[in-house]
């Protein structure tokens, strides 16, 4: 039986917010990457319409990437990949849409995104 359940649950919450392990949260060795970028624009992108995006997690991941903190990048990217797929889609769409020099637009209803892509010529076998 756990002797101090309050302390354990507080450490779990701190670990969940920071992306660090529960052991490091319990010892107080959790670090943050400041300043956190403003990720409210992710909600306006069409890559995850109608989904709840975890902008706090996205901001912590971007800040860890800017600071090149490998432990934080590993743990936060694993968390976003397994638990927050819409946030991952919005982040990827924001980055790759910007790199392509296009502003993101939603697909018209009734059409798929594949129908707008050019077709590859059939291979001659």
């Amino acid at each position: 039986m756990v002797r101090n359940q309050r302390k354990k649950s507080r450490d779990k919450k701190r670990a969940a917010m920071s992306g660090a392990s529960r052991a490091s949260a319990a010892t107080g060795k959790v670090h943050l990457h400041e300043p956190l970028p403003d990720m409210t624009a992710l909600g306006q992108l069409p890559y995850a319409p109608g989904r709840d995006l975890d902008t706090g997690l996205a901001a912590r991941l971007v800040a860890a990437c800017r600071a090149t903190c490998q432990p934080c990048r590993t743990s936060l990217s694993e968390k976003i990949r397994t638990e927050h797929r819409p946030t991952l889609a919005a982040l990827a769409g924001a980055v790759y849409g910007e790199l392509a020099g296009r502003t993101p637009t939603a697909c018209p209803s009734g059409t798929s995104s594949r129908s707008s892509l050019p077709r590859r010529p059939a291979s001659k076998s």
Side-chain angles (χ1 to χ4, degrees):
M1 183 124 192
V2 177
R3 294 185 61 146
N4 195 344
Q5 187 64 35
R6 242 183 267 157
K7 182 179 182 303
K8 184 176 179 182
S9 64
R10 183 187 67 217
D11 294 341
K12 280 184 178 181
K13 286 179 187 175
R14 187 180 303 148
M17 288 301 297
S18 66
S21 68
R22 191 173 61 84
S24 64
T27 60
K29 300 291 184 189
V30 174
H31 65 275
L32 297 175
H33 303 285
E34 299 289 337
L36 291 178
D38 182 25
M39 302 302 267
T40 55
L42 285 181
Q44 300 167 357
L45 296 176
Y47 302 111
R51 302 284 181 108
D52 290 330
L53 301 178
D54 191 351
T55 56
L57 179 62
R60 289 193 311 272
L61 178 61
V62 169
C65 289
R66 284 182 182 168
T68 63
C69 179
Q70 188 61 39
C72 290
R73 285 172 38 187
T74 302
S75 63
L76 290 172
S77 61
E78 179 68 23
K79 185 173 186 174
I80 202 169
R81 189 173 52 86
T82 57
E83 298 174 18
H84 301 283
R85 300 290 287 235
T87 306
L88 177 65
L91 273 174
V95 170
Y96 290 115
E98 181 70 25
L99 288 176
R102 293 180 263 177
T103 56
T105 57
C107 293
S109 61
T111 64
S112 69
S113 59
R114 289 182 180 230
S115 64
S116 62
L117 296 175
R119 292 200 173 207
R120 182 173 42 160
S123 62
K124 297 177 182 177
S125 312

